[in-house]
Amino acid sequence: MSTPISPCVKCGDPGSKRCSRCWDAPEYRPGDANPTRYCSTECQKADWVAHKSHCTTLSRRTKLLRAATILRAALLAYRERFFDIPLSKIELGKDGAVLYLYRDVSPRPFPNGLTHDSKHKEAALTHNMCTLAFAMLGPLTRKLLAGVASSIESLDLQIEKPVFRTHLVEYLADGIDSNGGPHTVLIVRLHNNEAWIIDTAGTQYGFKEVLVPFERYIKDRASSNFVNGPPTKYTACETTDLDFMKEFFPDYPKAGLDILEKEKKARLHFARFVENRVGVRKGRDLKDSVFDPSKDFGGSKEEFDTKFGELMKEMKRHLEGFK
């Protein structure tokens, strides 16, 4: 595919050269991420003083988008490995507003053969999983966003405009278990005070974008009446939700505690990968890291896609090794 020709921002001549640092950045407001083009390296260098501030903003957005992409992929990989809802059928309702997940009697791995629609598969994997995502992805989120975000907060809100909702149909009754409760997302602020939403479990509502400007997210997806108060600092670790359950529900049935303990072991297995293979751990060589956020977010889309693919391959291999 040929590179589009646009006027060079420095001299006005036809330009096909683009700034690689801020290419493919998401828009915060319409039109504010249009690519900057040059006719030559000389014009690009001459324009750097004028372009630097805008370039820095866009490159941070690109890193944020790439981090959010990794976080969603990590959640989906974990859920596919440790899927705990036995399903017999996945079916979109006739009006397209509800994706029905029919519960089966016997536990089984995620049944890939039940749907060939990736959106429906991701919706099933993330059904009622925003709390798991909130906890499990905490340390990974902070590693990936170090130096990119000025603050990270969690927020509970109500989704009012889903593409569709996922409903779990129980096998012993006709009733439907709806995910109508609060939905947890992250608010990430950049150093220029842009506020973004990262919604790793939004696929259960049919949402494709994992990263959305805060104002647009509220306008297009959710209520502005926050469910559990204002945003709070994001300090969760991989087992925060499980530890809460054990502490505040001391009379939890033994069978339930056994399930929580098994889930905790799986989460800690995931945590070891994050600790040892993402970024540089004190006392370990950089070569042990499969993804270094300090440098692997940069470069072209193709270069990032390669590193992203390597990261997910190693992560899935690690998850498969859980016993």
Side-chain angles (χ1 to χ4, degrees):
M1 182 181 294
S2 60
T3 303
I5 303 295
S6 298
C8 172
V9 297
K10 187 64 179 176
C11 70
D13 287 347
S16 59
K17 187 177 180 61
R18 65 196 185 198
C19 177
S20 60
R21 291 184 73 244
C22 58
W23 185 251
D24 286 337
E27 289 185 341
Y28 190 69
R29 292 186 174 85
D32 72 353
N34 291 334
T36 302
R37 294 193 181 276
Y38 301 97
C39 65
S40 64
T41 301
E42 289 72 23
C43 272
Q44 184 174 3
K45 289 180 178 179
D47 189 55
W48 175 241
V49 173
H51 178 60
K52 181 178 179 180
S53 177
H54 186 55
C55 183
T56 299
T57 295
L58 294 189
S59 63
R60 282 178 177 154
R61 289 186 199 169
T62 298
K63 292 176 181 178
L64 180 59
L65 176 59
R66 292 175 177 181
T69 300
I70 290 173
L71 291 170
R72 173 184 279 178
L75 173 63
L76 293 172
Y78 180 89
R79 285 293 294 149
E80 187 160 7
R81 171 63 180 86
F82 299 109
F83 194 69
D84 56 354
I85 305 174
L87 297 180
S88 61
K89 184 167 64 172
I90 299 175
E91 182 178 69
L92 187 65
K94 292 182 179 179
D95 61 359
V98 180
L99 182 70
Y100 293 103
L101 312 177
Y102 291 87
R103 186 190 285 272
D104 202 351
V105 180
S106 304
R108 64 179 73 182
F110 184 81
N112 282 296
L114 293 184
T115 179
H116 298 292
D117 190 315
S118 61
K119 298 189 299 296
H120 296 171
K121 176 181 177 179
E122 292 179 2
L125 287 170
T126 56
H127 173 74
N128 279 345
M129 285 296 119
C130 64
T131 302
L132 179 147
F134 159 80
M136 189 191 76
L137 297 176
L140 178 58
T141 299
R142 291 187 288 274
K143 269 194 171 188
L144 294 178
L145 296 184
V148 177
S150 62
S151 68
I152 310 172
E153 299 173 303
S154 62
L155 174 66
D156 293 337
L157 38 71
Q158 202 75 38
I159 298 299
E160 292 191 343
K161 302 173 185 177
V163 177
F164 57 74
R165 293 187 182 274
T166 55
H167 289 232
L168 184 62
V169 182
E170 300 290 350
Y171 67 90
L172 291 177
D174 294 330
I176 293 177
D177 172 25
S178 172
N179 58 354
H183 183 60
T184 304
V185 297
L186 299 183
I187 303 177
V188 179
R189 295 187 187 278
L190 301 184
H191 294 279
N192 64 351
N193 211 36
E194 288 181 358
W196 295 81
I197 293 285
I198 292 181
D199 185 5
T200 53
T203 50
Q204 65 183 301
Y205 299 104
F207 297 145
K208 180 179 179 181
E209 293 175 289
V210 66
L211 180 71
V212 183
F214 176 82
E215 291 181 1
R216 179 156 68 86
Y217 190 97
I218 297 300
K219 176 177 178 289
D220 294 346
R221 300 186 182 186
S223 168
S224 59
N225 297 319
F226 304 146
V227 178
N228 293 320
T232 57
K233 186 176 180 180
Y234 185 45
T235 59
C237 71
E238 286 91 350
T239 62
T240 293
D241 56 327
L242 305 179
D243 297 337
F244 175 86
M245 292 287 289
K246 292 180 69 173
E247 180 179 354
F248 287 91
F249 297 95
D251 297 328
Y252 211 67
K254 183 180 184 305
L257 290 175
D258 290 343
I259 293 173
L260 291 181
E261 190 59 31
K262 183 177 180 180
E263 173 68 16
K264 184 171 184 175
K265 289 179 180 178
R267 302 265 194 100
L268 293 176
H269 183 71
F270 174 82
R272 284 190 287 274
F273 179 86
V274 173
E275 181 180 9
N276 295 326
R277 305 301 305 279
V278 179
V280 182
R281 180 186 174 192
K282 188 175 181 180
R284 296 182 70 92
D285 196 294
L286 180 60
K287 67 182 181 181
D288 294 327
S289 174
V290 68
F291 190 89
D292 180 6
S294 67
K295 62 183 181 66
D296 290 337
F297 278 137
S300 67
K301 182 180 183 302
E302 292 73 19
E303 291 170 328
F304 169 72
D305 286 346
T306 297
K307 294 300 297 184
F308 174 53
E310 293 171 355
L311 170 64
M312 295 313 303
K313 180 180 178 180
E314 290 300 313
M315 183 183 294
K316 290 177 181 179
R317 180 182 298 171
H318 177 83
L319 293 175
E320 286 298 326
F322 177 77
K323 297 179 181 179

